[in-house]
């Protein structure tokens, strides 16, 4: 049994930010599974370290590391793991999100829905947005398209005049696009502002503008309509891995010299991207029919009949527009639906197979192995390990 350890958590939990609470949750999950850990919320552990007479109050610290905290921890020889991506301190081990992968993942989601025009709303002087936008643009260019970004002031909501200028700037930027366009908005509450501005232009979400929110917060994402597709960054995993790293350091392991970047869990699809932006209206109709009827038996004849065309015409135009067959797209959509369902442990694999349109669990297993290289149960296990 490892020795008992008292760990300070300094996460600014007085601020109502999802990522602070998420990281805290992950640390507590680690402590729950490792009984030798005892966690104490202390927003200023340096105060108690500096006042200690004799034994220090903490064996280690997980924190949004400030310069004063880092200096005090070094002076008292107490290991610290940082979970603040923009911390001014670079000399302590850090665990955070792979923001570049977040940017790429958002483009992939929009590409799968046929979007060919892309936008990114970024905050001025925000390092994470810069990294995400760079990766976002690079992935768009790799796909043969281009992306436009607009910079907004971090203090855009400080006063009415500044906010008015910001709105005018975004409206002008939005009107520069030929629709439909897919837009990534890293800041959660700002996504709702973009929906309102689109309403002011008479634009429909998602038919004219598809929006991906950078924070999967139910407060902003699930209501009112349209609900917002979001990227699940999985901050709980950051907390869990920060705790695991700190435990290893306390066991004598040398701390890493480079930050640990963890991939996001994935995209949580909602109404704001529930649209297939393809130039061919016939193919768009087919995609919408397929997406609405995935749980039912689907073949080319049925789909063609539903949209009043011939199977041959549908196959030809689908191949020209999507560069894959109708059957391949049906499989892809079913795999994506099954992946979302597998994350929920309450869904037995046989039910997932049935509800995502596969003939049987065996058939779903075959498709998963061929398309993803893992079985449905292995995929579920991977998702649980990263949560």
């Amino acid at each position: 049994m490892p020795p008992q350890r008292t760990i300070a958590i300094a996460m600014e939990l007085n601020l109502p930010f999802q990522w602070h609470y998420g990281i805290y949750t992950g640390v507590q999950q680690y402590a729950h599974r490792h009984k030798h850990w005892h966690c104490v919320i202390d927003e200023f552990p340096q105060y108690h370290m500096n006042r200690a007479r004799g034994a220090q109050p903490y064996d280690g610290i997980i924190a949004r590391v400030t310069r004063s905290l880092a200096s005090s921890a070094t002076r008292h020889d107490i290991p610290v793991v940082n979970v603040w991506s923009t911390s001014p301190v670079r000399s302590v081990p850090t665990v955070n999100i792979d923001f570049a992968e977040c940017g790429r993942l958002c483009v992939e989601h929009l590409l799968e829905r046929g979007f060919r025009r892309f936008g990114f709303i970024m905050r001025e002087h925000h390092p994470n947005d810069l990294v995400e936008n760079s990766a976002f643009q690079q992935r768009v260019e790799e796909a043969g398209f281009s992306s436009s970004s607009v910079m907004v002031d971090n203090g855009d909501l400080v006063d009415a005049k500044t906010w008015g200028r910001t709105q005018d700037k975004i409206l002008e930027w939005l009107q520069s696009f030929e629709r439909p366009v897919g837009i990534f908005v890293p800041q959660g509450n700002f996504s709702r502002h973009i929906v309102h501005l689109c309403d002011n232009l008479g634009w429909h979400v998602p038919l004219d503008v598809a929006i991906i929110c950078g924070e999967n917060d139910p407060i902003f994402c699930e209501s009112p309509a349209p609900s917002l597709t979001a990227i699940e960054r999985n901050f709980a995993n950051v907390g869990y891995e920060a705790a695991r790293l700190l435990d290893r350091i306390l066991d004598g392991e040398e701390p890493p010299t480079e930050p640990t970047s963890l991939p996001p869990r994935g995209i949580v699809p909602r109404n704001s991207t529930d649209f297939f932006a393809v130039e061919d209206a016939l193919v768009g109709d087919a995609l919408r029919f397929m997406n609405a009827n995935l749980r039912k038996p689907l073949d080319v004849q049925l789909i063609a009949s539903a949209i009043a065309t011939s199977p041959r015409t549908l196959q030809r135009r689908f191949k020209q527009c999507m560069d894959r067959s109708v059957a391949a797209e049906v499989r892809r959509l079913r795999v994506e639906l099954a992946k979302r369902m597998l994350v929920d442990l309450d869904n037995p694999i046989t039910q997932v197979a049935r509800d995502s349109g596969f003939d049987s669990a065996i058939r779903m297993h075959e498709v998963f192995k061929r398309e993803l290289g893992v079985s449905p149960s292995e995929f579920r296990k991977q998702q649980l390990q990263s949560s």
Side-chain angles (χ1 to χ4, degrees):
M1 180 74 177
Q4 290 294 310
R5 287 165 177 166
T6 301
I7 308 299
I9 303 175
M11 281 299 307
E12 295 184 330
L13 294 174
N14 57 304
L15 300 177
F17 294 140
Q18 183 196 29
W19 50 96
H20 293 199
Y21 296 147
I23 294 172
Y24 171 77
T25 297
V27 175
Q28 293 291 6
Q29 287 173 346
Y30 186 89
H32 179 72
R33 296 176 186 176
H34 299 80
K35 302 303 183 183
H36 64 289
W37 266 48
H38 172 61
C39 294
V40 176
I41 298 174
D42 186 351
E43 297 295 359
F44 302 99
Q46 62 269 38
Y47 174 80
H48 294 100
M49 287 189 290
N50 294 338
R51 286 171 55 89
R53 297 292 181 265
Q56 282 294 321
Y58 305 119
D59 297 294
I61 301 169
I62 295 173
R64 291 168 55 82
V65 178
T66 62
R67 287 191 177 94
S68 63
L69 173 54
S71 175
S72 181
T74 299
R75 190 163 60 252
H76 296 291
D77 195 28
I78 295 178
V80 176
V81 172
N82 173 53
V83 290
W84 182 16
S85 62
T86 55
S87 169
V89 181
R90 301 300 184 203
S91 58
V92 298
T94 296
V95 179
N96 218 283
I97 297 295
D98 186 340
F99 291 99
E101 180 59 22
C102 291
R104 289 188 289 267
L105 195 62
C106 290
V107 176
E108 293 294 345
H109 180 77
L110 294 170
L111 285 171
E112 287 173 356
R113 278 150 180 77
F115 284 88
R116 300 297 181 260
R117 288 173 285 275
F118 304 85
F120 191 107
I121 297 179
M122 58 192 301
R123 292 160 289 184
E124 190 174 11
H125 307 308
H126 200 288
N128 298 340
D129 287 10
L130 290 171
V131 171
E132 283 187 328
N133 184 46
S134 177
F136 186 93
Q137 288 186 327
Q138 181 179 355
R139 181 64 191 94
V140 168
E141 291 169 3
E142 289 172 355
F145 308 106
S146 61
S147 173
S148 171
S149 61
V150 63
M151 187 86 70
V152 297
D153 188 347
N154 272 337
D156 53 1
L157 297 181
V158 171
D159 57 68
K161 187 176 181 180
T162 303
W163 173 230
R165 287 198 302 266
T166 299
Q167 285 182 309
D168 291 342
K169 184 177 183 179
I170 295 173
L171 283 168
E172 182 180 357
W173 177 73
L174 287 171
Q175 290 173 301
S176 70
F177 284 103
E178 180 183 351
R179 292 167 281 164
V181 57
I183 294 176
F184 178 38
V185 189
Q187 190 175 359
N189 61 336
F190 212 86
S191 300
R192 280 294 166 193
H193 291 307
I194 304 307
V195 174
H196 297 326
L197 291 178
C198 289
D199 286 342
N200 291 343
L201 291 172
W203 292 3
H204 186 273
V205 178
L207 297 180
D208 295 307
V209 181
I211 296 173
I212 299 180
C213 177
E215 298 168 17
N216 187 32
D217 187 336
I219 293 175
F220 297 115
C221 291
E222 294 183 356
S223 64
S227 60
L228 297 176
T229 292
I231 183 165
E232 176 49 71
R233 299 182 187 275
N234 202 1
F235 284 106
N237 195 32
V238 172
Y240 192 93
E241 292 301 320
R244 182 155 62 178
L245 174 58
L246 179 58
D247 219 7
R248 295 203 306 266
I249 293 172
L250 289 169
D251 284 337
E253 183 175 311
E254 196 69 23
T257 57
E258 296 295 326
T260 300
S261 296
L262 304 175
R265 171 176 282 182
I267 298 291
V268 180
R270 296 188 180 93
N271 295 150
S272 66
T273 60
D274 187 16
F275 173 68
F276 293 92
V278 292
E279 303 297 333
D280 190 318
L282 185 78
V283 174
D285 289 343
L287 287 167
R288 280 185 283 276
F289 179 81
M290 291 155 58
N291 195 53
N293 294 276
L294 281 177
R295 293 171 173 81
K296 303 175 184 178
L298 288 175
D299 57 30
V300 177
Q301 180 69 51
L302 178 64
I303 297 167
S305 176
I307 60 172
T309 191
S310 70
R312 183 174 180 179
T313 297
L314 177 60
Q315 286 282 32
R316 174 175 54 80
R317 289 171 62 171
F318 207 94
K319 184 67 175 177
Q320 289 173 345
C321 186
M322 302 293 290
D323 197 30
R324 53 180 172 264
S325 69
V326 173
E329 179 64 9
V330 170
R331 284 196 303 273
R332 190 193 69 78
L333 290 171
R334 283 176 170 160
V335 166
E336 290 302 312
L337 176 58
K339 284 164 62 177
R340 296 196 294 272
M341 295 180 67
L342 284 166
V343 174
D344 187 348
L345 284 176
D346 291 335
N347 294 326
I349 287 180
T350 52
Q351 181 182 333
V352 172
R354 182 174 59 252
D355 290 349
S356 55
F358 291 100
D359 293 337
S360 65
I362 294 174
R363 174 59 178 161
M364 184 172 71
H365 182 279
E366 292 171 350
V367 173
F368 262 65
K369 290 292 286 187
R370 183 174 66 247
E371 303 288 336
L372 305 178
V374 295
S375 69
S377 58
E378 290 168 339
F379 175 83
R380 170 175 276 174
K381 184 177 180 180
Q382 289 175 355
Q383 298 305 300
L384 290 174
Q385 288 174 342
S386 66
S387 64

